[in-house]
Amino acid sequence: DAPVEYESNDSMVYDAKARKAYLYGSVKVKYDNMNLEGEQMDFDLDKNVVHATGVIDSTVTEKNGLTGTPVFKIGDDTYENDTISFNFKTKKGLIKNVVTEQEDGFLTGQFGKRNANGDVYLAKGTYTTCDKPHPDFYIAISRAKVRPGKDAIIGPAYMVVADVPLPLAIPYGFF
């Protein structure tokens, strides 16, 4: 429905037979109300899917040793993650190790899935109001449904303080 604008600082390789494009070096992609930035990306032109990831850097100790990890912005929502696959037509995506800010809190998830409505489903995550990269306290969440700008509904969860799980479990929660 709209053109896909993209640029990279290093290089672009196009595989005409497979109809895939590979971009390297500070890649920026803009489509409609979506922006995606990362160190390397590949496009499947037949499936309308972009896959973005950071690159391994031995000098980086946080972010799983990756640098140039993707930052995905759609509308007013921003998601920082290790890896993302996003379909331009269906507006669905899969996210690995996502971090997003919702109102006054920070929500993370080891795995995430975004549907066409913008709802995000997370598995193995945390919720905290602490803004440190490694928070002092958080609620460990087995799964969650996040409606950006509206609410978050979590499944079984428990409180963790200073990396010590407390015997305080909740079957569900609503933020």
Side-chain angles (χ1 to χ4, degrees), residues 98-100 105-110 122-130 132-133 135 137-144 146 154 157-158 160 175:
V98 65
V99 177
T100 184
F106 298 91
L107 197 58
T108 67
Q110 196 170 15
L122 300 174
K124 300 180 182 177
T126 65
Y127 177 80
T128 184
T129 56
C130 180
K132 295 180 181 177
F137 59 92
Y138 57 89
I139 297 174
I141 301 168
S142 61
R143 59 183 175 255
V146 180
I154 62 170
Y158 57 91
V160 178
F175 300 99

Side-chain angles (χ1 to χ4, degrees), residues 1-6 29-36 73-74 86-89 91:
D1 296 337
V4 177
E5 299 172 19
Y6 56 89
V29 175
K30 182 172 177 17
Y31 173 76
D32 201 21
N33 68 339
M34 182 215 69
N35 290 312
L36 181 60
K73 296 178 185 176
I74 187 160
F86 185 77
N87 188 309
F88 291 114
K89 282 199 176 194
K91 304 236 191 238

Side-chain angles (χ1 to χ4, degrees), residues 64-101:
N64 296 329
L66 295 174
T67 185
T69 54
V71 177
F72 178 67
K73 296 178 185 176
I74 187 160
D76 294 332
D77 302 319
T78 301
Y79 305 94
E80 297 177 31
N81 46 74
D82 288 356
T83 306
I84 184 169
S85 293
F86 185 77
N87 188 309
F88 291 114
K89 282 199 176 194
T90 63
K91 304 236 191 238
K92 294 180 181 180
L94 292 174
I95 309 166
K96 184 178 174 188
N97 293 325
V98 65
V99 177
T100 184
E101 186 174 353

Side-chain angles (χ1 to χ4, degrees), residues 7 13 20 29 44 53 61 72 92 103 105 107-108 117 124 134 143 148 152:
E7 64 181 71
V13 177
K20 288 188 176 184
V29 175
D44 188 326
T53 186
T61 56
F72 178 67
K92 294 180 181 180
E103 296 296 320
L107 197 58
T108 67
N117 298 335
K124 300 180 182 177
H134 187 77
R143 59 183 175 255

Side-chain angles (χ1 to χ4, degrees), residues 48-60:
N48 298 304
V49 173
V50 61
H51 178 79
T53 186
V55 293
I56 296 173
D57 187 344
S58 61
T59 63
V60 176

